[in-house]
């Protein structure tokens, strides 16, 4: 199978006796109880062998709760970016090959929502996008959903707001949401500059929001109803 740029890609080649696995990027798994794990394929074997791992408690930003939800690979730096809320908000850059901590991103001004940051993605040019999680509290509440953008992952890169508002749009006369939903449980990014696309699904409906830009900095949302299960979506990815 093959997934978007920010996800590990692998090919399974069946044979009479073994399964060969080839990874074009590091295959990374994140779980609440098992921490962060990276795997490398064993030659002509049916399994993946770990080459580094971080267990809960090994570092302040690897815990057993839901404080780490977002993880993305940056193709421009070959780092992994981890969103963390334990002990305060942070975005940590890890060396994908060894798990060593490289640096943290600037999160000044990042605030609002149920979680100020939850999921993260990286464009083909290395621009970083991360979104808050917003849960609606009333049927007519317009979500204060935000997507932040960093031009790159350098520690001195200042986050800007790429999108703020209701991904489903609001009624022009009343200001109420056209489809009040929980947003921010998943995100995927592809492209670069003015060709960057971001997709975010709603949690409890079939609506999915596609974010586009004309300048590579500011984004607008187009809601697509019926794009997901009526129960909502916890995962989303662009196809080829």
């Amino acid at each position: 199978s093959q997934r978007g740029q920010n996800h590990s890609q692998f090919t399974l080649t069946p044979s009479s006796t073994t399964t060969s696995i080839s990874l074009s990027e590091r295959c990374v798994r994140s779980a609440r109880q098992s921490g962060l794990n990276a795997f490398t394929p064993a030659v002509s074997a049916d399994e993946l062998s770990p080459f580094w791992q971080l267990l809960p408690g090994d570092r302040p930003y690897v815990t057993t709760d839901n404080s780490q939800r977002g993880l993305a690979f940056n193709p421009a730096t070959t780092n992994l970016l981890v969103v963390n809320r334990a002990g305060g908000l942070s975005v940590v850059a890890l060396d994908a090959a060894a798990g060593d901590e490289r640096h943290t991103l600037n999160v000044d001004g990042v605030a609002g929502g149920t979680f100020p940051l939850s999921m993260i993605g990286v464009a083909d040019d290395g621009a970083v996008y991360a979104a808050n999680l917003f849960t609606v509290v009333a049927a007519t509440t317009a979500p204060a959903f935000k997507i932040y953008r960093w031009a790159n992952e350098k520690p001195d890169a200042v986050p800007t707001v790429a999108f703020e508002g209701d991904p489903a749009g609001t009624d022009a006369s009343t200001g109420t949401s056209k489809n009040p939903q929980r947003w921010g449980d998943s995100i995927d990014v592809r492209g670069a500059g003015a060709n960057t696309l971001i997709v975010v699904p709603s949690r409890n409906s079939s609506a999915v929001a596609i974010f586009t830009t004309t300048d590579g900095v500011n984004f607008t949302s187009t809601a697509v109803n019926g794009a997901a299960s009526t129960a909502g979506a916890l995962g989303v990815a662009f196809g080829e």
Side-chain angles (χ1 to χ4, degrees), residues 10 13-14 24 60 63 82-83 85 102 105 139 160 167 175-176 194 212-213 217:
F10 58 94
T13 307
S24 61
T63 61
V82 182
V83 175
R85 292 179 290 103
R102 293 276 182 87
L105 276 65
T160 60
T176 58
T212 56
T213 179
V217 177

Side-chain angles (χ1 to χ4, degrees), residues 104-186:
T104 58
L105 276 65
N106 184 336
V107 292
D108 290 347
V110 177
T114 306
F115 299 149
L117 286 182
S118 184
M119 305 302 290
I120 190 168
V122 185
D124 297 347
D125 57 2
V128 179
Y129 297 87
N132 70 355
L133 177 72
F134 189 92
T135 304
V136 252
V137 294
T140 57
T141 301
F145 181 69
K146 293 182 182 181
I147 299 176
Y148 297 90
R149 179 184 184 273
W150 291 257
N152 52 64
E153 69 166 64
K154 294 179 180 179
D156 59 354
V158 177
T160 60
V161 178
F163 174 87
E164 181 176 6
D166 186 348
T170 57
D171 185 276
S173 58
T174 65
T176 58
S177 176
K178 293 181 179 179
N179 184 9
Q181 294 295 330
R182 166 171 161 159
W183 300 92
D185 284 292
S186 184

Side-chain angles (χ1 to χ4, degrees), residues 145 147 163 166-169 178-190 197-212 220-239:
F145 181 69
I147 299 176
F163 174 87
D166 186 348
K178 293 181 179 179
N179 184 9
Q181 294 295 330
R182 166 171 161 159
W183 300 92
D185 284 292
S186 184
I187 191 172
D188 195 22
V189 183
R190 75 174 180 185
L197 294 174
I198 303 172
V199 59
V200 176
S202 60
R203 176 63 183 91
N204 298 308
S205 81
S206 63
V208 170
I210 304 294
F211 298 85
T212 56
T220 57
S221 172
T222 300
V224 181
N225 294 313
S229 164
T230 55
L234 283 174
V236 67
F238 283 109

Side-chain angles (χ1 to χ4, degrees), residues 2-9 25 188-189 237-240:
Q2 201 168 43
R3 302 186 67 185
Q5 179 66 40
N6 299 319
H7 302 275
S8 300
Q9 302 178 17
E25 292 178 4
D188 195 22
V189 183
F238 283 109
E240 291 300 321

